[in-house]
Amino acid sequence: MIDKNNLAEVGKFQKTHALKGELNAVLDIPEEYVEDGNPLIVESEGIPVPFYAESIRSKGATSFLIKLEGVDSVEEASELVNSAIYAPKDKLQEYVGEVMFEDDLEGFRVIDTRFGDIGELEYIDDSTANQLMVIRTPEGEELYIPLVDDFITDIDDDEREIHTSIPEDLLSLNRKDDKYE
């Protein structure tokens, strides 16, 4: 059985291509991962199901045409359209080196250059188009900060800290008082 806690999202099947079951996919992993026979995992009715590529063709920097084993028609392929693609974290590290995944950051302290210790990262909310860091302040409030590279200056894995440089007005949008003004 596949452990969902060991999976990382690595892409998405966007649309079908031609009539023989090929899918257009966007992948955030090296093409070699797929070429070497590693699984592309898709959730079906809440259960992670591994698929293996019969072939993969590059269509740009991150876009690929993938033919999956056992998916032989446009109808079968269409069932996978808009599905997130996952891969086992431990297997990915063989291809991309040591990597930190978003859920590995849960529990890290968030330290801002301007505001100091903001609180603890509870989780990453990816239910919207923009991912948000949900931070619990020492006062027990929840803050929502966009998870964007421009706001993160450093991640200290040893100290379990995320160092940020958050725009001045962003924290005050979340606050009931004027602590961050």
Side-chain angles (χ1 to χ4, degrees):
M1 178 173 241
I2 297 172
D3 179 7
K4 287 184 181 183
N5 294 322
N6 186 39
L7 297 179
E9 189 171 335
V10 296
K12 185 176 186 175
F13 288 120
Q14 292 189 309
K15 60 185 177 179
T16 60
H17 178 78
L19 302 174
K20 302 243 191 245
E22 266 188 322
L23 287 150
N24 187 337
V26 172
L27 296 176
D28 299 325
I29 55 175
E31 185 176 352
E32 292 77 28
Y33 173 88
V34 179
E35 290 173 336
D36 288 346
N38 292 298
L40 298 174
I41 299 168
V42 177
E43 275 196 48
S44 176
E45 298 179 17
I47 299 170
V49 178
F51 288 89
Y52 296 89
E54 230 174 73
S55 66
I56 181 169
R57 297 183 288 153
S58 179
K59 200 179 150 193
T62 61
S63 186
F64 300 90
L65 294 176
I66 300 175
K67 169 68 175 79
L68 299 173
E69 293 177 2
V71 178
D72 299 317
S73 69
V74 70
E75 292 80 22
E76 292 171 332
S78 66
E79 293 178 23
L80 298 171
V81 170
N82 292 323
S83 294
I85 302 169
Y86 300 91
K89 292 177 184 178
D90 53 351
K91 199 68 167 157
L92 282 176
Q93 290 182 347
E94 295 174 25
Y95 291 85
V96 295
E98 190 62 35
V99 65
M100 183 171 283
F101 299 97
E102 292 165 1
D103 57 349
D104 294 335
L105 298 174
E106 292 174 6
F108 276 48
R109 299 298 305 168
V110 180
I111 313 291
D112 189 73
T113 55
R114 186 177 295 110
F115 304 110
D117 185 351
I118 296 173
E120 182 178 304
L121 178 67
E122 285 195 326
Y123 63 95
I124 305 293
D125 180 352
D126 60 0
S127 64
T128 63
N130 298 314
Q131 292 181 313
L132 299 170
M133 293 187 290
V134 180
I135 301 166
R136 176 74 56 192
T137 68
E139 296 83 21
E141 293 183 76
E142 277 189 346
L143 298 178
Y144 296 88
I145 307 296
L147 180 61
V148 294
D149 289 340
D150 290 347
F151 294 172
I152 297 175
T153 59
D154 183 46
I155 297 176
D156 186 335
D157 194 31
D158 294 330
E159 295 294 321
R160 296 186 49 80
E161 294 177 343
I162 301 170
H163 296 267
T164 62
S165 180
I166 298 170
E168 198 168 334
D169 295 335
L170 189 58
L171 281 183
S172 62
L173 292 173
N174 282 280
R175 301 297 300 208
K176 295 178 185 152
D177 57 29
D178 60 357
K179 178 178 178 180
Y180 295 115
E181 291 185 41

